[in-house]
Coordinates of all heavy atoms in Angstrom, one line a residue:
V1 N -11.8 14.0 -10.1 CA -10.7 14.5 -10.9 C -9.7 13.4 -11.3 O -8.9 13.6 -12.2 CB -10.0 15.7 -10.2 CG1 -9.1 15.2 -9.1 CG2 -9.2 16.5 -11.2
A2 N -9.7 12.3 -10.5 CA -8.7 11.3 -10.8 C -9.0 10.5 -12.1 O -10.1 10.3 -12.4 CB -8.7 10.3 -9.6
G3 N -7.9 10.1 -12.7 CA -8.0 9.4 -14.0 C -6.7 9.4 -14.7 O -5.7 9.9 -14.2
P4 N -6.7 8.8 -15.9 CA -5.4 8.7 -16.6 C -4.7 10.0 -16.7 O -5.3 11.0 -17.1 CB -5.9 8.2 -18.0 CG -7.1 7.4 -17.7 CD -7.8 8.1 -16.6
G5 N -3.5 10.1 -16.3 CA -2.7 11.3 -16.3 C -2.6 11.9 -14.9 O -1.6 12.7 -14.7
G6 N -3.5 11.6 -14.0 CA -3.4 12.3 -12.7 C -4.2 11.5 -11.6 O -5.4 11.2 -11.8
W7 N -3.6 11.3 -10.5 CA -4.1 10.4 -9.5 C -4.0 10.9 -8.1 O -3.0 11.5 -7.8 CB -3.4 9.0 -9.5 CG -3.3 8.5 -10.9 CD1 -2.3 8.6 -11.8 CD2 -4.3 7.7 -11.6 NE1 -2.6 8.0 -13.0 CE2 -3.8 7.5 -12.9 CE3 -5.6 7.3 -11.3 CZ2 -4.6 6.7 -13.9 CZ3 -6.4 6.6 -12.2 CH2 -5.8 6.3 -13.5
N8 N -4.9 10.7 -7.2 CA -4.8 10.9 -5.8 C -3.9 9.9 -5.2 O -4.0 8.7 -5.4 CB -6.2 10.9 -5.1 CG -7.1 12.0 -5.5 OD1 -6.8 13.2 -5.2 ND2 -8.2 11.7 -6.2
D9 N -3.0 10.4 -4.3 CA -2.0 9.5 -3.7 C -2.2 9.4 -2.2 O -1.9 10.4 -1.5 CB -0.6 10.0 -4.1 CG 0.6 9.3 -3.4 OD1 0.3 8.2 -2.8 OD2 1.7 9.7 -3.5
P10 N -2.7 8.3 -1.7 CA -2.9 8.2 -0.2 C -1.7 7.8 0.5 O -1.7 7.6 1.7 CB -4.0 7.1 -0.1 CG -3.7 6.3 -1.3 CD -3.2 7.2 -2.4
D11 N -0.5 7.8 -0.1 CA 0.8 7.5 0.4 C 1.1 6.0 0.4 O 0.4 5.3 -0.1 CB 1.0 8.1 1.9 CG 2.4 8.4 2.2 OD1 3.3 8.3 1.3 OD2 2.7 8.8 3.3
M12 N 2.2 5.7 1.0 CA 2.8 4.4 0.8 C 2.0 3.2 1.4 O 1.3 3.3 2.3 CB 4.2 4.4 1.4 CG 5.2 5.4 0.9 SD 6.8 5.3 1.7 CE 6.3 5.8 3.4
L13 N 2.2 2.1 0.8 CA 1.8 0.8 1.4 C 2.8 0.4 2.4 O 4.0 0.4 2.2 CB 1.8 -0.3 0.3 CG 0.8 -0.2 -0.8 CD1 1.1 -1.1 -2.0 CD2 -0.6 -0.4 -0.3
V14 N 2.3 0.2 3.6 CA 3.2 -0.2 4.7 C 3.2 -1.8 4.9 O 3.7 -2.3 5.9 CB 2.9 0.5 6.0 CG1 3.3 2.0 5.9 CG2 1.5 0.3 6.4
I15 N 2.7 -2.5 4.0 CA 2.6 -3.9 4.0 C 4.1 -4.4 3.9 O 4.9 -4.0 3.1 CB 1.8 -4.4 2.8 CG1 0.4 -4.0 2.9 CG2 1.9 -5.9 2.7 CD1 -0.4 -4.1 1.6
G16 N 4.4 -5.4 4.7 CA 5.7 -6.0 4.7 C 6.6 -5.3 5.7 O 7.8 -5.7 5.9
N17 N 6.1 -4.4 6.5 CA 6.8 -3.8 7.6 C 6.4 -4.5 8.9 O 6.3 -5.7 8.9 CB 6.6 -2.3 7.6 CG 7.3 -1.6 6.5 OD1 8.4 -1.9 6.1 ND2 6.6 -0.7 5.8
F18 N 6.0 -3.8 9.9 CA 5.9 -4.4 11.2 C 4.6 -4.0 12.0 O 4.3 -4.6 13.0 CB 7.1 -4.2 12.1 CG 8.4 -4.5 11.4 CD1 9.2 -3.5 10.9 CD2 8.8 -5.8 11.4 CE1 10.3 -3.9 10.2 CE2 10.0 -6.2 10.7 CZ 10.8 -5.2 10.1
G19 N 3.9 -3.0 11.5 CA 2.8 -2.4 12.3 C 1.4 -2.9 12.1 O 0.5 -2.7 12.9
L20 N 1.2 -3.6 11.0 CA -0.1 -4.1 10.6 C -0.3 -5.6 10.8 O 0.6 -6.4 10.5 CB -0.5 -3.7 9.2 CG -0.4 -2.3 8.7 CD1 -0.9 -2.1 7.3 CD2 -1.2 -1.4 9.7
S21 N -1.5 -6.0 11.2 CA -1.8 -7.4 11.3 C -2.0 -7.9 9.8 O -2.1 -7.1 8.9 CB -3.0 -7.7 12.1 OG -4.2 -7.2 11.4
R22 N -2.2 -9.2 9.7 CA -2.5 -9.8 8.3 C -3.8 -9.2 7.8 O -3.8 -8.8 6.6 CB -2.6 -11.3 8.4 CG -3.0 -12.0 7.2 CD -2.1 -11.8 6.0 NE -2.5 -12.6 4.8 CZ -2.0 -12.4 3.6 NH1 -1.0 -11.5 3.5 NH2 -2.4 -13.1 2.6
D23 N -4.8 -9.1 8.6 CA -6.1 -8.6 8.1 C -6.0 -7.1 7.7 O -6.5 -6.6 6.7 CB -7.2 -8.7 9.2 CG -7.6 -10.2 9.3 OD1 -8.1 -10.8 8.3 OD2 -7.5 -10.8 10.4
Q24 N -5.2 -6.4 8.5 CA -5.0 -4.9 8.2 C -4.2 -4.7 7.0 O -4.4 -3.8 6.2 CB -4.4 -4.3 9.4 CG -5.3 -4.2 10.6 CD -4.6 -4.0 12.0 OE1 -3.4 -3.8 12.0 NE2 -5.3 -4.1 13.1
Q25 N -3.2 -5.6 6.7 CA -2.5 -5.5 5.4 C -3.4 -5.7 4.3 O -3.4 -5.0 3.2 CB -1.4 -6.5 5.4 CG -0.2 -6.2 6.4 CD 1.0 -7.1 6.2 OE1 1.3 -7.5 5.1 NE2 1.6 -7.5 7.3
I26 N -4.3 -6.7 4.4 CA -5.3 -7.0 3.3 C -6.2 -5.8 3.1 O -6.5 -5.4 1.9 CB -6.1 -8.3 3.7 CG1 -5.2 -9.5 3.5 CG2 -7.4 -8.4 2.8 CD1 -5.9 -10.8 4.1
T27 N -6.6 -5.2 4.2 CA -7.5 -4.0 4.0 C -6.7 -2.9 3.3 O -7.3 -2.2 2.4 CB -7.9 -3.5 5.4 OG1 -8.8 -4.5 6.0 CG2 -8.7 -2.1 5.3
Q28 N -5.5 -2.6 3.6 CA -4.8 -1.5 2.9 C -4.6 -1.9 1.5 O -4.9 -1.0 0.6 CB -3.4 -1.2 3.5 CG -2.8 0.0 2.9 CD -1.4 0.4 3.3 OE1 -0.6 -0.5 3.7 NE2 -1.0 1.6 3.1
M29 N -4.2 -3.1 1.1 CA -4.0 -3.5 -0.3 C -5.4 -3.4 -1.0 O -5.4 -2.8 -2.2 CB -3.5 -4.9 -0.4 CG -3.0 -5.3 -1.7 SD -1.5 -4.4 -2.1 CE -1.1 -5.0 -3.8
A30 N -6.4 -3.8 -0.4 CA -7.7 -3.8 -1.1 C -8.2 -2.4 -1.3 O -8.7 -2.0 -2.4 CB -8.8 -4.6 -0.3
L31 N -8.1 -1.5 -0.3 CA -8.6 -0.1 -0.4 C -7.7 0.7 -1.4 O -8.2 1.5 -2.2 CB -8.6 0.5 0.9 CG -10.0 0.5 1.6 CD1 -10.9 1.4 0.9 CD2 -10.5 -0.9 1.8
W32 N -6.4 0.5 -1.4 CA -5.5 1.2 -2.3 C -5.9 0.8 -3.8 O -5.8 1.6 -4.7 CB -4.1 1.0 -2.0 CG -3.5 2.0 -1.1 CD1 -2.3 2.7 -1.4 CD2 -3.9 2.5 0.2 NE1 -2.0 3.5 -0.4 CE2 -3.0 3.4 0.6 CE3 -5.0 2.2 1.0 CZ2 -3.1 4.1 1.8 CZ3 -5.1 2.8 2.2 CH2 -4.2 3.8 2.6
A33 N -6.3 -0.5 -4.0 CA -6.7 -0.9 -5.3 C -8.0 -0.3 -5.7 O -8.2 0.2 -6.8 CB -6.8 -2.5 -5.4
I34 N -9.0 -0.2 -4.8 CA -10.3 0.4 -5.1 C -10.1 1.9 -5.4 O -10.8 2.4 -6.2 CB -11.2 0.2 -3.9 CG1 -11.6 -1.3 -3.8 CG2 -12.4 1.1 -4.0 CD1 -12.6 -1.8 -4.8
M35 N -9.2 2.5 -4.6 CA -9.0 4.0 -4.8 C -8.1 4.4 -6.0 O -7.8 5.5 -6.1 CB -8.4 4.6 -3.5 CG -9.3 4.4 -2.3 SD -8.8 5.3 -0.8 CE -7.3 4.4 -0.4
A36 N -7.7 3.4 -6.8 CA -6.8 3.7 -8.0 C -5.6 4.4 -7.5 O -5.1 5.4 -8.2 CB -7.6 4.5 -9.0
A37 N -5.0 4.0 -6.4 CA -3.9 4.7 -5.8 C -2.6 4.2 -6.5 O -2.4 3.1 -6.7 CB -3.8 4.5 -4.3
P38 N -1.6 5.1 -6.6 CA -0.3 4.7 -7.0 C 0.2 3.7 -5.9 O 0.1 4.0 -4.7 CB 0.6 6.0 -7.0 CG -0.4 7.0 -7.2 CD -1.7 6.6 -6.6
L39 N 0.8 2.6 -6.3 CA 1.2 1.6 -5.3 C 2.7 1.8 -5.0 O 3.6 1.5 -5.8 CB 1.0 0.2 -5.8 CG -0.5 -0.2 -6.1 CD1 -0.6 -1.6 -6.6 CD2 -1.4 0.1 -4.9
L40 N 3.0 2.4 -3.8 CA 4.3 2.7 -3.4 C 4.7 1.8 -2.3 O 4.2 2.0 -1.1 CB 4.4 4.2 -3.0 CG 4.2 5.3 -4.0 CD1 2.7 5.5 -4.3 CD2 4.8 6.6 -3.5
M41 N 5.5 0.8 -2.5 CA 6.0 0.0 -1.4 C 7.0 0.7 -0.6 O 7.8 1.5 -1.1 CB 6.6 -1.3 -1.9 CG 5.6 -2.2 -2.6 SD 6.3 -3.8 -2.9 CE 7.6 -3.4 -4.1
S42 N 7.0 0.5 0.8 CA 8.0 1.2 1.6 C 8.8 0.2 2.4 O 9.4 0.5 3.4 CB 7.2 2.1 2.6 OG 6.4 1.3 3.5
N43 N 8.8 -1.1 2.0 CA 9.4 -2.1 2.8 C 10.9 -2.4 2.3 O 11.3 -1.9 1.3 CB 8.6 -3.4 2.8 CG 8.2 -3.8 1.4 OD1 9.1 -3.9 0.5 ND2 6.9 -3.9 1.1
D44 N 11.5 -3.3 3.1 CA 12.9 -3.8 2.7 C 12.7 -5.1 2.0 O 12.4 -6.1 2.7 CB 13.8 -3.8 3.9 CG 15.2 -4.2 3.6 OD1 15.5 -4.7 2.5 OD2 16.1 -3.9 4.5
L45 N 12.9 -5.2 0.7 CA 12.7 -6.4 0.0 C 13.7 -7.5 0.3 O 13.4 -8.7 0.0 CB 12.7 -6.1 -1.5 CG 11.7 -5.1 -2.1 CD1 11.8 -5.0 -3.6 CD2 10.3 -5.6 -1.7
R46 N 14.7 -7.2 1.0 CA 15.7 -8.2 1.4 C 15.2 -9.0 2.5 O 15.6 -10.2 2.8 CB 17.0 -7.5 1.9 CG 17.7 -6.7 0.8 CD 18.8 -5.9 1.3 NE 18.3 -4.8 2.2 CZ 19.1 -3.9 2.8 NH1 20.4 -3.8 2.5 NH2 18.6 -3.0 3.6
N47 N 14.2 -8.5 3.3 CA 13.7 -9.2 4.5 C 12.2 -9.4 4.5 O 11.7 -9.7 5.6 CB 14.1 -8.4 5.7 CG 15.7 -8.3 5.8 OD1 16.4 -9.2 5.7 ND2 16.1 -7.0 5.9
I48 N 11.5 -9.2 3.4 CA 10.0 -9.3 3.5 C 9.6 -10.7 3.7 O 10.1 -11.7 3.2 CB 9.5 -8.7 2.1 CG1 7.9 -8.5 2.3 CG2 9.8 -9.6 0.9 CD1 7.3 -7.7 1.1

């Protein structure tokens, strides 16, 4: 059902916070790209 006009949202990217290792951040970014997910950052850009 996903496509232009409507998308599945697996929730925020937690990249740039504190809970993921470097490899795990890469996995989230890669999978969210493959899944055509809206990219919602949840970090503080002042301290990234």
Side-chain angles (χ1 to χ4, degrees):
V1 74
W7 310 95
N8 290 294
D9 175 9
D11 207 5
M12 301 178 294
L13 296 165
V14 291
I15 298 164
N17 291 314
F18 308 99
L20 301 186
S21 70
R22 172 65 177 167
D23 287 301
Q24 292 159 5
Q25 289 188 39
I26 288 170
T27 293
Q28 190 187 22
M29 192 71 181
L31 264 292
W32 266 234
I34 290 288
M35 295 186 296
L39 300 182
L40 296 77
M41 295 189 295
S42 63
N43 49 54
D44 187 340
L45 298 181
R46 298 169 297 186
N47 303 306
I48 189 169

